[in-house]
Amino acid sequence: LQLAAPVIILNLLMLFGMGMINRLMPSIQIFFIMQPLQSILGFLLLVLGLGVMMNHFITQFADMYQSLWNRG
């Protein structure tokens, strides 16, 4: 859930914005136009967030392992 949270929030914001645009200009098929952009942005955010989150998880794991090793 922590890994997917930024992507979920981005998608909700994009859907809200697309709904507003669809209400303002109903003649444009905005959901059809924005689908590739939504997929690309979600994947890009997941890739960028993955590096930060994995660094955090690895640091926590190393600290836990070091504390267990010191108990010996």
Side-chain angles (χ1 to χ4, degrees):
L1 184 63
Q2 289 178 351
L3 188 61
V7 176
I8 292 170
I9 292 170
L10 175 74
N11 280 335
L12 285 175
L13 290 174
M14 285 185 67
L15 284 172
F16 179 74
M18 288 188 293
M20 295 286 285
I21 292 171
N22 195 28
R23 282 290 191 182
L24 293 172
M25 296 183 290
S27 61
I28 295 177
Q29 296 294 325
I30 193 70
F31 291 101
F32 181 73
I33 294 170
M34 291 294 290
Q35 186 63 40
L37 181 64
Q38 188 177 9
S39 298
I40 290 169
L41 285 177
F43 184 69
L44 184 64
L45 184 64
L46 182 65
V47 168
L48 292 175
L50 186 64
V52 173
M53 289 182 196
M54 287 307 293
N55 187 21
H56 176 71
F57 292 145
I58 289 172
T59 304
Q60 280 187 336
F61 179 78
D63 291 341
M64 182 182 66
Y65 185 75
Q66 186 67 28
S67 68
L68 289 174
W69 183 263
N70 288 338
R71 283 185 186 172

